[in-house]
Amino acid sequence: METYWVLRWLEQEAIRSVQGVVLRENLVRADGAPLFARVPSLPALEPGARVRLEVGPIDFLERTVSLTYRETLGTAAASVADDLLPLG
């Protein structure tokens, strides 16, 4: 349900670009929202790399958003390590 409302927020605020952190392979966590998404156009980057992504079509039924890689911004390794810690 949380993903649905994040997608609604993206549409309502007309957000066309987001920044995020690469977690692994083509999985990115967006900054400022609880959104994790696969980005097929993402080049081979190390976990922790910060990227800018273009927001494309949103599918509310499937609860997905099309994100396209635009540029690499730097690294944020500490925040990736925090995401990979076990809960509990």
Side-chain angles (χ1 to χ4, degrees), residues 28-51:
V28 175
R29 178 181 48 95
D31 292 345
L35 178 65
F36 294 80
R38 298 250 177 231
V39 182
S41 61
L42 195 70
L45 296 171
E46 292 294 319
R50 297 192 42 73
V51 293

Side-chain angles (χ1 to χ4, degrees), residues 26-81:
N26 65 352
L27 182 65
V28 175
R29 178 181 48 95
D31 292 345
L35 178 65
F36 294 80
R38 298 250 177 231
V39 182
S41 61
L42 195 70
L45 296 171
E46 292 294 319
R50 297 192 42 73
V51 293
R52 182 179 322 278
L53 307 167
E54 180 181 322
V55 177
I58 297 172
D59 184 336
F60 293 106
L61 188 59
E62 294 290 326
R63 294 183 307 184
T64 59
V65 60
S66 176
L67 298 173
T68 305
Y69 170 80
R70 287 298 169 227
E71 67 179 305
T72 303
L73 303 173
T75 60
S79 63
V80 171

